[in-house]
Amino acid sequence: MTVSVLYNLPRDASRIQLAGMRDLAAATPDLRHLLPSIPKDPRTLYARYNLDPITDIMVCCSECYCLYPLALSITPDDTSVHDNRSRPCNAPLLEWTRIRSKWYKTPRLKYEPQNFRLWLGRLLLRPGFEQLVDPAFRGNPQTPMRAIGDGTHLRQAQGPNGHPFFPGPLSETRLALAYCMDGFNPFGMKTAKQTYRRENMFLAGIIPGPNKPSVDQINHANQLIVDAMRVFYDPGVYYSSTAEHPLGRLVRCLLPIDICDAIALRQIVSTTSITSKYFCIQCELPIQQIENIDPSTWTPRDPVKMKQQAMAWRDAPDEKSRVLLAEQNGVRWTPFYELPYWNPVSAAIPEPMHIMQNLIEHHLRVAWGISVKSEGGDGSALSPAKVKPCPPTSETEKFLQIILQAQMEKCLHLLAMRRKKSTVIGSASSNALRRLCHGYGLNYKGTKDDLYERLADYVRHYLATEQNVLLPVPSDPRTVLGKSVMESCWASMKDTTLPSWVSGTPRNWGTATRGKLSADQWNVICTIHLPFTLISKWGIAAAPERDRKMLDNYMDLVRAVEACGLREITEEQIQSYTRYIRRYLEEYKTLYKGAKIKPNHHLAIHYGDVLRGFGPTPGHQAQPYERFINFLHQLPTNMRFGELESTFMRASGRSANLSSLITDYTPDYEPCELLKVYRDIIQRDTRGTHLAYMTDSKVLFSVEKAAYRSNPQASSVLDSRLYQLLVDFLNTRHGTSTARELYPARIPIPREVEFIDRAAIRGVRYSVYSSLPRDSHIMFKSTRLGLTMIVGEIQKMFAHTHGVPIEQPPDSTAHEMESNGSEGSAAQQTATQTATSLMLLVRPFQPLSGPDAHLDAHFRKYGISGGFCCHRTKQEEIMIDASFVVCHAKVTLTTIENRPLLHVKALDRVRSVYA
């Protein structure tokens, strides 16, 4: 069943597998008693374990997407009567279908919404779920913000009684939900992506294809969601039993946030398109003034006014009136206005993944341009429309070779003869001549004869100063990322080591053969690979001034993208993000002639307010939903619209339900081989939200909140060298001004430890070098080296249980000993409590110092975004615990002034490196 559901084994293959198991049981006397329990069809197992999702079946109109319950008496002649204010739809709802030689009237299209009330009831029965969500809003918001609940929006949400919705009374469970809607092609995009926890995601429904509903037609499906959410808000739903409350629990829910790309978001909020007059949902800036990047001059949208405009659109007498109102106000009606707490301005947030991907891709492809065949220019030319199309580079090189060959054969005078002139000109098109003139800074207008004369003069002058030197292929000022830059970037990527959670990037990106890149891949290129290449080329003192200006402008974009991706964020960092993105756009308009501000540039400025309202980006980004669609792409279907939608719903429900059963299952015997192998597989890739599996209820936690799986078989005894390092660290870590030598004089230290290969520290996997080198490079702090930021390599990790001193009032110990009438031993004078720490043995890399300190000044100019360099040699080993680990480090082999170095960049998602 696990292979069939989780790895998409076809039903016929599952039947063969079950038949083989039945044969094995029948042939083995000790297993024959199991024969009646082994079914012949996998669907029997699905029903036995209640894996199928519970859905309703509704008839869907193929024209207007109006929904009708299947339980209604729909006759074969019935048509959809939905009135769209212009005319009734009158589309047929049923059609004749042959099933086993008999004909039946069946729905032309079906929509199967999943029952949210029953789905949530199943989720509440999972152990540990309520323990995670109930305390979420009980305390004060954290600083820095670490979760969506630390933002201002959810804490300001009002409940039915007018008081804050969160945290609510102790007798209730209160939940905040995010809504995502997206479209996809079920027949394409078959590339496997990351795995993640689907059991915590509710699939509301899949609207039948092959067409898609319009902006207002989607309201029929959204109405079902609104009806359910309205009940969960007030009066709430009472569940007779949950995992933590067997006598019952009242549950209330909010739907305060919509997480979608720009197109889907405007369908949910039901506003006009992103290219219309009112392109922004957050403010009323008309698209004619999009070049205005000063948010203090923007008029914010009024949600009350938007609702009034939406109601006016809904109550308009005909379709023509609705069109006029939509053009005038940019707003249509959506059922979400029926939710008393729903705010279209704050709920419809600009989705960071798509915005940042568009900013990166637009800068690299449009502002700069990418060419792997010719050398790049400085990006100073006007838009491509100003210059006529250029010929392929091979044609340009052919023309240069013809001219050069004539010069090398001492036929310089032939350039002035018409015969040879026609020969040369005949070998190249007019576009090639224009390209050459343009590349060499000559006038590229005129006839072919005019172009030839200019080129001939240029060639004569060039050869008069550079005898027998090959003419360089001219660069295109419109293309910045040319051949040399791209080749340098590809070469550095081969010498770069990245942690396993960083998405792999193809080393031939930018070529036509590589094709489309994902949002994660663009992010890695923008923030990791290109900064190293460009700073190495453009950041040095010898680089042209314009190159340095382009680099400064680009690094502002990098800083904004990195700030956007932080897992912990403060108000100061939000202000830094806003400052970087505004400065980037201001310089962008100055540096690149003809560059235009796009809607995504405008939305990026708004994103600072989103961070204040909803906390760090990981709490409201679209990656989990995009990965869910990638999961649906992997499912085998019969490619028939009307049936594949049900297949998607059942398969996703079965997968989620079975995953939760396996995760929550505690076997009666150890070890359970199936669980061991399954957990090993899902922990193999820690990208995206997959790391949640490493931090489930089956792992152990150290006192530093580091998660690891216990393996008693890995227990060992520390040798003298490691033991002394541990003693020195604990004395430095817990020693006081009056008692610096606590260990082992006052507090004994056991030598027994449990060595481990990997652990999750603050949700990120780290590994020892011998197990997984790419996860062993870290940035850390050390009391031994003055708490400065250091890069090193993890050699060993182990869990160690020892005593930790308890802080007591200064006179409490002395008073206690005096009352007992004894002086007390050294061990009695220190009160302790037992704690388990995750210890790491790290070898730091040698930092630059003395005459080498200046070698990485051009990298350090850009702070954490630029990184720094160090020597490849390593220092003596240092012992630390998990609390001193800051983040992973990217390392790249490089050479500066003939010195072999490592370029290091902190891949910090919490920015404790700023502390």
Side-chain angles (χ1 to χ4, degrees):
M1 184 172 65
T2 302
V3 176
S4 174
V5 174
L6 300 182
Y7 296 96
N8 303 326
L9 189 68
R11 186 190 304 167
D12 289 342
S14 299
R15 292 178 60 191
I16 294 175
Q17 189 179 45
L18 289 171
M21 296 173 64
R22 291 174 61 86
D23 289 340
L24 180 63
T28 307
D30 294 340
L31 299 178
R32 286 177 183 170
H33 68 283
L34 298 176
L35 192 59
S37 63
I38 302 177
K40 298 181 179 179
D41 193 292
R43 289 173 292 185
T44 305
L45 289 173
Y46 305 156
R48 181 181 301 174
Y49 289 94
N50 194 25
L51 296 184
D52 283 332
I54 300 175
T55 62
D56 300 320
I57 299 180
M58 308 193 76
V59 181
C60 180
C61 175
S62 59
E63 296 293 332
C64 64
Y65 290 87
C66 187
L67 301 175
Y68 303 89
L70 188 61
L72 293 180
S73 299
I74 301 178
T75 65
D77 296 328
D78 280 350
T79 58
S80 178
V81 295
H82 171 62
D83 186 359
N84 62 2
R85 300 284 174 172
S86 59
R87 59 179 178 80
C89 179
N90 293 329
L93 299 176
L94 306 178
E95 64 181 359
W96 289 104
T97 303
R98 185 175 181 177
I99 303 177
R100 295 181 180 178
S101 71
K102 293 185 179 181
W103 290 90
Y104 299 90
K105 271 291 186 177
T106 59
R108 292 172 60 90
L109 288 180
K110 291 188 302 181
Y111 178 62
E112 293 190 38
Q114 188 174 184
N115 190 304
F116 177 74
R117 183 178 304 192
L118 298 178
W119 176 88
L120 183 58
R122 184 165 188 156
L123 182 64
L124 292 171
L125 289 173
R126 295 194 60 193
F129 176 76
E130 290 174 282
Q131 294 178 354
L132 293 174
V133 299
D134 284 344
F137 292 89
R138 298 296 175 188
N140 295 324
Q142 301 181 76
T143 302
M145 293 187 289
R146 295 182 175 89
I148 193 171
D150 295 328
T152 59
H153 183 72
L154 291 185
R155 292 185 176 270
Q156 294 174 355
Q158 298 295 307
N161 57 1
H163 297 295
F165 185 84
F166 294 107
L170 294 174
S171 59
E172 296 182 8
T173 294
R174 299 203 169 184
L175 305 174
L177 308 174
Y179 179 47
C180 176
M181 181 177 70
D182 205 351
F184 69 100
N185 177 9
F187 306 134
M189 298 284 293
K190 290 291 183 179
T191 303
K193 295 281 184 174
Q194 295 96 327
T195 312
Y196 55 93
R197 283 202 143 165
R198 293 181 293 274
E199 56 264 37
N200 296 336
M201 300 181 69
F202 172 71
L203 179 59
I206 298 178
I207 297 175
N211 301 318
K212 62 180 180 180
S214 65
V215 175
D216 58 307
Q217 290 173 347
I218 198 69
N219 288 342
H220 301 298
N222 286 336
Q223 185 68 57
L224 301 178
I225 298 173
V226 169
D227 292 342
M229 290 298 101
R230 190 164 52 234
V231 174
F232 269 93
Y233 177 71
D234 187 27
V237 175
Y238 187 85
Y239 287 91
S240 59
S241 178
T242 68
E244 302 297 327
H245 303 88
L247 298 181
R249 186 76 164 173
L250 180 64
V251 179
R252 296 177 185 266
C253 297
L254 280 181
L255 191 64
I257 182 173
D258 306 318
I259 305 174
C260 311
D261 59 26
I263 297 176
L265 190 63
R266 279 152 181 78
Q267 278 194 298
I268 294 176
V269 185
S270 205
T271 58
T272 50
S273 72
I274 198 170
T275 58
S276 62
K277 177 182 178 181
Y278 295 109
F279 67 98
C280 181
I281 302 177
Q282 277 69 40
C283 71
E284 296 181 354
L285 185 74
I287 199 168
Q288 293 82 359
Q289 301 178 22
I290 195 172
E291 296 288 332
N292 177 5
I293 57 176
D294 182 4
S296 63
T297 63
W298 303 343
T299 303
R301 288 255 199 174
D302 182 359
V304 176
K305 180 181 177 181
M306 289 182 67
K307 184 174 182 178
Q308 295 173 348
Q309 294 170 341
M311 294 175 65
W313 182 92
R314 180 195 61 185
D315 299 334
D318 52 45
E319 187 65 20
K320 183 178 179 180
S321 300
R322 286 184 169 181
V323 171
L324 292 176
L325 287 172
E327 292 178 353
Q328 178 181 345
N329 303 320
V331 178
R332 303 182 183 91
W333 172 258
T334 175
F336 289 101
Y337 282 115
E338 298 177 8
L339 298 175
Y341 56 83
W342 190 74
N343 184 333
V345 178
S346 59
I349 65 171
E351 200 288 305
M353 183 191 76
H354 293 94
I355 290 178
M356 295 304 151
Q357 177 189 0
N358 287 329
L359 292 187
I360 295 168
E361 196 168 355
H362 183 272
H363 189 96
L364 300 187
R365 290 196 176 278
V366 178
W368 280 358
I370 301 174
S371 174
V372 298
K373 295 182 179 180
S374 62
E375 291 299 327
D378 59 5
S380 60
L382 298 177
S383 60
K386 299 294 183 180
V387 180
K388 295 188 177 181
C390 299
T393 305
S394 59
E395 186 178 355
T396 305
E397 293 173 345
K398 179 181 177 181
F399 179 57
L400 287 172
Q401 291 296 334
I402 291 174
I403 297 179
L404 201 57
Q405 185 67 28
Q407 302 299 331
M408 292 175 64
E409 294 177 356
K410 298 182 180 181
C411 296
L412 184 61
H413 298 290
L414 296 179
L415 287 172
M417 299 172 56
R418 185 170 298 274
R419 181 171 58 85
K420 292 297 180 181
K421 178 179 178 180
S422 61
T423 301
V424 174
I425 293 180
S427 300
S429 64
S430 58
N431 282 334
L433 297 174
R434 291 191 183 94
R435 168 67 179 272
L436 287 169
C437 290
H438 184 265
Y440 290 131
L442 307 175
N443 184 359
Y444 53 85
K445 296 181 180 180
T447 64
K448 292 184 70 173
D449 288 345
D450 296 333
L451 298 174
Y452 172 81
E453 295 297 339
R454 297 176 192 132
L455 284 172
D457 292 340
Y458 180 82
V459 170
R460 294 190 193 99
H461 175 74
Y462 185 86
L463 291 180
T465 56
E466 303 288 342
Q467 292 292 333
N468 297 325
V469 176
L470 183 68
L471 275 174
V473 178
S475 62
D476 185 355
R478 298 167 300 164
T479 301
V480 175
L481 300 181
K483 182 179 180 180
S484 63
V485 174
M486 297 300 294
E487 289 178 347
S488 298
C489 184
W490 297 338
S492 66
M493 291 171 65
K494 296 179 182 179
D495 296 329
T496 298
T497 301
L498 295 171
S500 59
W501 57 265
V502 177
S503 297
T505 304
R507 292 178 180 173
N508 62 339
W509 70 273
T511 62
T513 56
R514 171 49 53 187
K516 185 178 180 181
L517 301 178
S518 68
D520 284 342
Q521 290 172 335
W522 276 118
N523 189 286
V524 171
I525 291 170
C526 168
T527 61
I528 297 178
H529 296 303
L530 264 184
F532 171 76
T533 301
L534 297 181
I535 294 175
S536 300
K537 285 181 168 292
W538 299 350
I540 59 178
E545 181 182 2
R546 179 171 175 82
D547 287 354
R548 293 198 298 270
K549 288 183 177 180
M550 289 195 298
L551 176 62
D552 291 342
N553 176 247
Y554 177 71
M555 292 306 296
D556 281 339
L557 174 61
V558 172
R559 289 166 170 172
V561 172
E562 289 181 337
C564 177
L566 293 178
R567 296 182 181 275
E568 298 178 2
I569 197 164
T570 64
E571 175 61 29
E572 180 182 358
Q573 291 163 354
I574 295 175
Q575 293 176 3
S576 296
Y577 164 81
T578 304
R579 181 173 66 254
Y580 287 138
I581 197 67
R582 288 191 61 188
R583 190 169 68 187
Y584 162 73
L585 292 175
E586 289 169 357
E587 292 299 320
Y588 170 81
K589 294 167 59 177
T590 303
L591 282 172
Y592 307 105
K593 299 177 181 178
K596 296 181 179 179
I597 298 298
K598 299 294 183 181
N600 278 312
H601 292 131
H602 175 89
L603 297 179
I605 301 177
H606 277 297
Y607 192 66
D609 295 331
V610 175
L611 291 172
R612 292 185 182 90
F614 294 97
T617 295
H620 53 263
Q621 61 186 355
Q623 276 92 335
Y625 310 102
E626 296 289 340
R627 292 174 187 137
F628 193 95
I629 292 178
N630 285 318
F631 159 72
L632 296 179
H633 283 140
Q634 313 311 312
L635 299 177
T637 66
N638 60 5
M639 301 295 183
R640 296 179 182 175
F641 287 109
E643 297 180 13
L644 59 82
E645 295 86 1
S646 299
T647 301
F648 288 147
M649 176 62 73
R650 288 194 301 270
S652 63
R654 291 168 181 169
S655 176
N657 292 333
L658 181 58
S659 295
S660 62
L661 286 177
I662 294 176
T663 304
D664 299 337
Y665 175 64
T666 302
D668 298 330
Y669 58 92
E670 289 288 349
C672 179
E673 189 68 18
L674 187 145
L675 290 180
K676 180 178 180 298
V677 173
Y678 175 75
R679 288 168 179 166
D680 179 70
I681 291 173
I682 63 177
Q683 291 176 24
R684 190 176 300 162
D685 183 2
T686 56
R687 292 171 293 174
T689 54
H690 196 143
L691 192 64
Y693 284 105
M694 280 194 72
T695 56
D696 61 21
S697 58
K698 301 296 188 291
V699 302
L700 300 180
F701 288 88
S702 70
V703 69
E704 303 88 8
K705 306 299 183 183
Y708 63 96
R709 287 195 177 274
S710 177
N711 182 15
Q713 298 178 353
S715 299
S716 182
V717 177
L718 291 178
D719 58 30
S720 299
R721 182 179 61 88
L722 294 182
Y723 181 77
Q724 188 58 48
L725 289 174
L726 177 62
V727 170
D728 294 342
F729 170 77
L730 291 178
N731 280 322
T732 305
R733 181 82 164 87
H734 301 293
T736 63
S737 59
T738 58
R740 293 188 179 276
E741 300 296 330
L742 294 175
Y743 302 90
R746 300 188 179 189
I747 305 176
I749 303 179
R751 287 180 176 267
E752 293 76 17
V753 298
E754 181 180 333
F755 285 99
I756 55 180
D757 290 335
R758 60 185 178 183
I761 303 175
R762 292 187 297 276
V764 180
R765 184 177 72 177
Y766 294 84
S767 176
V768 298
Y769 182 81
S770 59
S771 176
L772 192 60
R774 60 192 304 191
D775 283 341
S776 66
H777 298 118
I778 62 170
M779 302 295 299
F780 68 100
K781 296 181 180 180
S782 171
T783 54
R784 173 178 162 185
L785 300 178
L787 289 177
T788 57
M789 196 63 55
I790 313 165
V791 59
E793 190 177 84
I794 303 175
Q795 302 296 312
K796 296 181 183 296
M797 285 196 294
F798 58 85
H800 183 264
T801 302
H802 52 266
V804 177
I806 301 176
E807 295 184 3
Q808 292 184 337
D811 299 332
S812 61
T813 303
H815 177 74
E816 181 180 353
M817 290 190 297
E818 182 180 349
S819 64
N820 292 336
S822 63
E823 296 181 1
S825 63
Q828 291 175 333
Q829 295 177 12
T830 303
T832 64
Q833 62 182 4
T834 302
T836 299
S837 291
L838 178 66
M839 309 301 300
L840 296 87
L841 185 67
V842 185
R843 290 200 66 182
F845 289 97
Q846 183 72 36
L848 299 182
S849 60
D852 295 336
H854 71 285
L855 295 177
D856 63 347
H858 52 307
F859 288 105
R860 291 182 180 272
K861 172 184 176 181
Y862 301 102
I864 187 176
S865 298
F868 62 94
C869 292
C870 61
H871 292 288
R872 299 183 188 180
T873 55
K874 300 172 186 174
Q875 298 175 296
E876 295 181 357
E877 295 170 329
I878 294 177
M879 186 75 71
I880 61 173
D881 64 31
S883 64
F884 286 81
V885 176
V886 176
C887 61
H888 272 123
K890 158 261 181 188
V891 294
T892 302
L893 300 176
T894 187
T895 301
I896 301 178
E897 296 184 6
N898 298 323
R899 292 175 175 83
L901 303 175
L902 283 179
H903 177 262
V904 179
K905 180 172 181 177
L907 303 181
D908 186 17
R909 294 297 183 91
V910 296
R911 277 303 193 274
S912 53
V913 73
Y914 284 144

